[in-house]
Amino acid sequence: MLGCLLSTWTPVGAEDFTFSCWFNGWRKNANDSSADVFAIETNRYAMILDVADFDRFRLGRIENSVSYEQAVRHKTEKLLRLPDAELLIEMEVDGVRYVARTCEAGLQSGVKHLSSVRLWESGRYVQHYDFLKLQFLSETGRVLKCDARMDLVAWPDSLTLNLIVSGAMDCNRCEMRLGVDSRVGKWQEATAFDGPLRDGEEKRLTLTCPMRDASRSEGNADSAKVSVSVVGGKSLPVRFDRLKNCYVATAEDLRRRRGPESRELREYDEFEITVAGTNESVPLLIDLRPPASVIGVCPVLCDEAGRPNGLPVQLSKNWHYAPMGSYVMTYAILPPADEPTTYRLKMVYGFYGDLPAASHAQLCLIGYGGNGRWDQLAIGSWGETICFDMDMSLVDVAVTDIRTLMTRDGVKGKKWGWTNAGWGGDWLNLSDTRQAKYFPNGLKTAYLSHGPCLTDVRHEGYYGQEREVEFSARVQTLRTDDYCRTFMNLAYEFERDVDVEKVWLFKLGRTFTYQTPRLDYGNAEGIIRSLDVPVDVPKGELFVKSTDFTGDAPYWVSFTGASEAGAKRSKPNGYRSLIVRRYHAEINGRQYEKPTIRCPAHASEPTNLDLELLPPEGILRFRKGDRIELELELITLPRVADDYYGPNESFRNHLEANPASWATTYREANGNDLHVTVDGGRLRQRYPVVVDVEQSTVSMEIKGGVGAVPVQFRGLPNEKGFALYRLVDGRRVALDQSVHGMDFWQVDFDTATETYRATFNLPLDRTATSRWVFETRANQRQ
């Protein structure tokens, strides 16, 4: 068994994590008067803050021995037991003491009042927010006229608060004070300046609260020797930034290849990082402005030779905020190093090896609006493929922009640009007489992998003011060269009895400027029904009333041939299809395995249909313990072969033979309904393929396959000692999709098992059956 061969080395930093969330939700119903409670949780401590009342502040150490992946499933339970603490934010101006007990978000009302608490970066290692327009009051209730904000940066073992005063303030002298008094520790900082403060001036005070366990050395991470340089280029300045409590290397205006080929973004930005002189882990930020493309980018941390090493990296980015321009913030925690240790960070853009790369990251909305959690996915780097408004800070649905891959307007159309496939959708929607919509709350997000072969992001939280429904979501996309696929595994479990007036389990639609001339749906055997859609179906009318699927999974629905209509500046565009690979519902003591759909008209002249995935017909009552599980795959497709400019000849040939056809959706639904047998391991999932490695040699046979099928091998003893071969005429042929060297597989460290996962993308388009051999070499650490 492979278990006996495992190495005992655990990457320092891999066990660290942070989360941030709004305990009672970001968007609420008008009659929801629950407090706006902001929360941070890490593997060492947690805090909560009522933005309307800073006196309601809690901070405490927490026992969190679980992994990042496990911790997200615990939702907000650990936040309920935090002890009271005291947060001090004050300014003494010309002898008068003013204390901040709230901010603009706590003083305003309205559905978007929390937009003045701005999310900058959020991911595995760092939560960075700021709270705008603090209100300072004297003991007599006098308001201090100033523009001040609190900037918060949370690492796994520290909490940093920055009080920032900017703009004009009339005073002779001002003393700024920050303090935290808690069971974890007591910290305080102060500074003073002479006034008046003029427009364009800014004063700052920083307080960092270390949250290490008493048994851990405080260390001197800020005295480590850290150097960063562009591979083949210049050294970058590195400084320890007290405001972010980490080392920062800023890379600006890098020289990159120019010309027509540069639009394909096949090259990487690469940085060489060297650490020495510390017995503590080193927090590091690479601040890249501008990246070669901010739309699709994925950091891959490697050893000195350029081999992926499995150390996690956090990716946060923004292209909306004019004062900073497009930027990427890449955070890492590097292991201690007495002697110089060198890493290579690859910033992957359009391609990883010879296939377009997958990426999934938090996209900052500052400069655009809302300012809540927004997740953006891309395949390649030529436009978003799908987005999720997780806090619903801009809209009141989960799914927003949906686009196509490598699509143009005919053979002369422009390549390597933004596209469209129809806007919007939603996960669970419930409404009743008291709640116009059950909005999400207590949402925690774990970015397990940003890519570049297969992304993996988990969301855990609740729906409803009383947390009537617990939900879990897993979102993934893959490295491929034919079309976009987004995998969504959704689970809803009812924690209370509820009677609702309206419900859907998943929705596609609320799309503007689109037309859906045909609707096709089917099952594993093929087409069930094909419907031409008249252009004048009245808005709101049910074109397809509640309809139960028949036959076996996978079930599928396609807006075949849909296109953009009425847009002033139409982008190259295609259409959407939904594949239901598994539907399981336990409701009121009965089990259901076949989905129900309904299609109302969102608009008319021309008709634009929505698609709603429903519980069985007539069910509006749910009981505690009812559970619904969905395994969904959303794909976007070009209508004809001339609109596709990618290199996948199998896909192109299919489009030439089947223009604007339901057969294209069925090809994906049936072709990736894989049959997989494994020897030397255990098959955990058929698509994407997941195998638990149990022996040093794993043999695998796959029947079927469309596109670059992801396969992940779990339980590996190290990040180096493995290889994947295809059996061709009895010979082993090593899989090699590299372009720049060792750039076609992905490695992730699993802190729960202290093992590694290796992910590949298998080209299976032209082979009915393929055979593979995966080999590990125990304890190889060379």
Side-chain angles (χ1 to χ4, degrees):
M1 299 294 289
L2 190 64
C4 65
L5 304 177
L6 297 181
S7 68
T8 58
W9 183 77
T10 300
V12 172
E15 75 277 11
D16 290 324
F17 57 80
T18 64
F19 298 104
S20 60
C21 75
W22 290 98
F23 191 87
N24 294 319
W26 197 102
R27 182 182 287 260
K28 302 176 184 176
N29 288 294
N31 61 349
D32 184 350
S33 59
S34 61
D36 295 317
V37 177
F38 173 77
I40 295 287
E41 179 189 337
T42 84
N43 56 310
R44 294 190 179 92
Y45 72 94
M47 60 148 278
I48 59 174
L49 176 67
D50 184 337
V51 300
D53 185 359
F54 289 0
D55 288 338
R56 298 180 63 185
F57 174 67
R58 295 183 177 184
L59 174 68
R61 204 180 304 281
I62 58 176
E63 298 295 331
N64 219 340
S65 58
V66 297
S67 70
Y68 184 42
E69 184 176 347
Q70 292 165 334
V72 72
R73 299 191 202 115
H74 289 181
K75 298 184 169 61
T76 56
E77 63 185 46
K78 293 183 182 294
L79 301 174
L80 300 173
R81 301 188 293 271
L82 291 176
D84 289 337
E86 182 179 350
L87 173 64
L88 173 70
I89 308 173
E90 68 177 31
M91 293 199 292
E92 187 173 323
V93 180
D94 296 334
V96 180
R97 179 174 172 265
Y98 297 86
V99 178
R101 289 193 168 91
T102 188
C103 59
E104 185 177 45
L107 296 170
Q108 293 185 337
S109 59
V111 70
K112 294 190 177 184
H113 70 283
L114 289 180
S115 61
S116 57
V117 178
R118 303 185 299 180
L119 191 167
W120 287 93
E121 294 109 51
S122 180
R124 183 179 193 127
Y125 287 140
V126 173
Q127 309 298 326
H128 179 201
Y129 288 73
D130 63 9
F131 299 72
L132 300 183
K133 296 187 182 301
L134 303 180
Q135 185 191 69
F136 286 86
L137 295 175
S138 70
E139 290 184 359
T140 62
R142 181 182 175 185
V143 177
L144 177 64
K145 292 182 180 180
C146 70
D147 186 0
R149 68 186 187 272
M150 180 179 70
D151 185 270
L152 178 151
V153 178
W155 285 85
D157 62 358
S158 68
L159 175 66
T160 296
L161 304 176
N162 299 291
L163 174 57
I164 303 170
V165 182
S166 58
M169 188 172 77
D170 188 18
C171 66
N172 293 316
R173 185 167 176 81
C174 175
E175 184 171 352
M176 305 163 63
R177 304 186 189 102
L178 280 173
V180 171
D181 190 349
S182 72
R183 295 183 188 178
V184 183
K186 185 175 182 178
W187 306 273
Q188 190 162 335
E189 292 285 351
T191 190
F193 63 88
D194 293 328
L197 192 65
R198 305 187 185 281
D199 282 333
E201 289 186 289
E202 188 173 87
K203 299 296 181 181
R204 298 185 177 191
L205 173 63
T206 296
L207 171 70
T208 292
C209 309
M211 302 287 181
R212 298 180 180 91
D213 296 333
S215 60
R216 284 172 51 90
S217 166
E218 289 297 314
N220 292 294
D222 59 352
S223 63
K225 296 177 182 178
V226 182
S227 63
V228 180
S229 61
V230 179
V231 173
K234 62 182 180 180
S235 296
L236 301 177
V238 180
R239 71 189 191 282
F240 191 87
D241 186 341
R242 293 191 64 227
L243 275 68
K244 286 201 167 182
N245 197 31
C246 66
Y247 287 92
V248 177
T250 301
E252 296 182 290
D253 300 319
L254 299 184
R255 288 188 177 183
R256 300 185 177 100
R257 178 178 295 182
R258 304 296 179 186
E261 289 187 0
S262 67
R263 290 179 298 174
E264 300 177 22
L265 295 163
R266 295 178 183 268
E267 305 295 322
Y268 311 146
D269 288 333
E270 294 190 70
F271 303 95
E272 189 172 89
I273 304 165
T274 300
V275 176
T278 177
N279 60 357
E280 281 292 307
S281 55
V282 176
L284 175 66
L285 164 62
I286 304 292
D287 179 354
L288 176 57
R289 308 183 200 182
S293 172
V294 70
I295 300 163
V297 55
C298 183
V300 181
L301 192 59
C302 305
D303 62 17
E304 188 173 7
R307 180 186 292 106
N309 65 12
L311 282 174
V313 179
Q314 174 179 326
L315 172 65
S316 297
K317 58 188 184 179
N318 191 352
W319 63 73
H320 310 105
Y321 190 55
M324 294 175 65
S326 294
Y327 64 81
V328 165
M329 300 288 180
T330 303
Y331 291 94
I333 297 179
L334 301 178
D338 292 330
E339 299 297 324
T341 303
T342 299
Y343 305 89
R344 181 169 289 202
L345 178 67
K346 298 179 181 179
M347 301 299 293
V348 175
Y349 296 106
F351 285 79
Y352 185 57
D354 63 5
L355 288 172
S359 61
H360 182 162
Q362 173 255 332
L363 173 63
C364 178
L365 295 178
I366 296 172
Y368 189 84
N371 302 333
R373 183 177 305 281
W374 181 281
D375 275 17
Q376 181 249 324
L377 289 75
I379 303 176
S381 199
W382 315 291
E384 303 163 339
T385 62
I386 191 170
C387 293
F388 295 89
D389 189 352
M390 296 309 305
D391 277 338
M392 297 191 181
S393 70
L394 284 180
V395 294
D396 61 354
V397 291
V399 184
T400 60
D401 309 82
I402 301 173
R403 308 183 190 278
T404 56
L405 175 66
M406 291 179 165
T407 301
R408 61 187 174 185
D409 284 329
V411 292
K412 295 183 179 180
K414 185 179 178 181
K415 301 179 181 180
W416 317 111
W418 286 68
T419 63
N420 204 353
W423 189 93
D426 202 6
W427 294 346
L428 180 67
N429 178 80
L430 301 169
S431 62
D432 59 27
T433 56
R434 192 168 63 91
Q435 299 180 73
K437 182 181 176 73
Y438 282 40
F439 287 112
N441 60 76
L443 174 71
K444 289 168 62 176
T445 299
Y447 298 89
L448 299 180
S449 177
H450 294 295
C453 294
L454 180 67
T455 68
D456 193 355
V457 174
R458 314 292 177 90
H459 305 284
E460 298 274 351
Y462 303 89
Y463 285 106
Q465 292 171 213
E466 304 298 326
R467 299 193 165 187
E468 290 91 340
V469 184
E470 181 180 297
F471 83 92
S472 302
R474 182 183 193 182
V475 179
Q476 296 180 281
T477 193
L478 76 168
R479 169 177 170 257
T480 191
D481 64 358
D482 50 2
Y483 48 86
C484 297
R485 299 167 178 83
T486 304
F487 306 107
M488 291 170 281
N489 290 358
L490 308 173
Y492 313 124
E493 183 159 345
F494 287 79
E495 297 296 306
R496 297 172 182 259
D497 295 351
V498 297
D499 293 279
V500 298
E501 296 181 337
K502 185 176 182 180
V503 58
W504 63 64
L505 307 179
F506 182 83
K507 181 185 179 86
L508 272 184
R510 217 171 83 174
T511 302
F512 299 95
T513 65
Y514 236 70
Q515 57 186 343
T516 50
R518 200 161 83 247
L519 179 76
D520 299 312
Y521 62 91
N523 57 23
E525 300 301 317
I527 187 82
I528 294 176
R529 197 175 183 192
S530 181
L531 299 169
D532 291 325
V533 182
V535 297
D536 58 352
V537 177
K539 181 177 180 178
E541 182 175 297
L542 286 177
F543 178 70
V544 175
K545 298 180 180 180
S546 294
T547 300
D548 296 333
F549 274 92
T550 59
D552 295 327
Y555 307 101
W556 53 271
V557 185
S558 177
F559 291 125
T560 310
S563 62
E564 201 159 24
K568 292 181 180 179
R569 307 177 87 179
S570 179
K571 297 182 179 71
N573 59 85
Y575 64 94
R576 298 155 292 159
S577 297
L578 182 70
I579 299 166
V580 183
R581 296 204 175 271
R582 181 171 179 265
Y583 176 103
H584 176 76
E586 298 177 14
I587 304 173
N588 297 324
R590 293 188 59 185
Q591 296 192 16
Y592 305 88
E593 305 294 336
K594 300 182 190 301
T596 301
I597 60 168
R598 178 175 64 197
C599 294
H602 178 71
S604 186
E605 303 287 353
T607 301
N608 182 13
L609 296 180
D610 289 346
L611 168 66
E612 296 173 355
L613 188 62
L614 306 173
E617 171 69 16
I619 290 181
L620 294 173
R621 173 173 293 180
F622 299 90
R623 294 292 174 256
K624 181 179 180 180
D626 287 353
R627 184 173 175 85
I628 299 161
E629 298 176 1
L630 308 172
E631 293 182 10
L632 309 177
E633 181 186 352
L634 174 62
I635 63 175
T636 57
L637 301 165
R639 289 178 293 276
V640 296
D642 283 349
D643 287 351
Y644 170 69
Y645 62 83
N648 190 306
E649 290 302 318
S650 177
F651 182 49
R652 187 189 312 281
N653 292 339
H654 167 85
L655 289 174
E656 288 175 348
N658 302 276
S661 170
W662 62 265
T664 309
T665 299
Y666 180 65
R667 174 178 178 263
E668 170 68 20
N670 183 62
N672 278 328
D673 187 25
L674 305 174
H675 297 273
V676 184
T677 57
V678 176
D679 184 24
R682 179 176 300 182
L683 181 67
R684 289 295 186 184
Q685 185 174 292
R686 287 195 298 132
Y687 183 64
V689 181
V690 178
V691 175
D692 284 347
V693 174
E694 296 179 333
Q695 298 178 13
S696 58
T697 299
V698 177
S699 300
M700 182 171 61
E701 180 181 88
I702 302 177
K703 293 183 179 180
V706 175
V709 174
V711 56
Q712 184 175 92
F713 297 96
R714 307 191 312 185
L716 308 182
N718 55 64
E719 80 282 14
K720 296 181 180 180
F722 56 79
L724 180 61
Y725 305 90
R726 187 169 192 165
L727 289 180
V728 180
D729 298 327
R731 292 185 305 111
R732 291 187 179 186
V733 178
L735 180 69
D736 186 358
Q737 301 164 325
S738 63
V739 172
H740 302 291
M742 295 183 286
D743 61 344
F744 66 93
W745 72 90
Q746 172 183 318
V747 177
D748 299 292
F749 184 72
D750 182 349
T751 55
T753 61
E754 296 190 351
T755 60
Y756 290 84
R757 301 173 180 178
T759 306
F760 303 84
N761 303 88
L762 308 183
L764 300 183
D765 272 316
R766 302 182 182 183
T767 308
T769 301
S770 60
R771 295 174 177 82
W772 303 83
V773 174
F774 181 76
E775 281 197 341
T776 62
R777 294 181 290 280
N779 291 323
Q780 177 178 337
R781 298 202 51 75
Q782 56 192 10

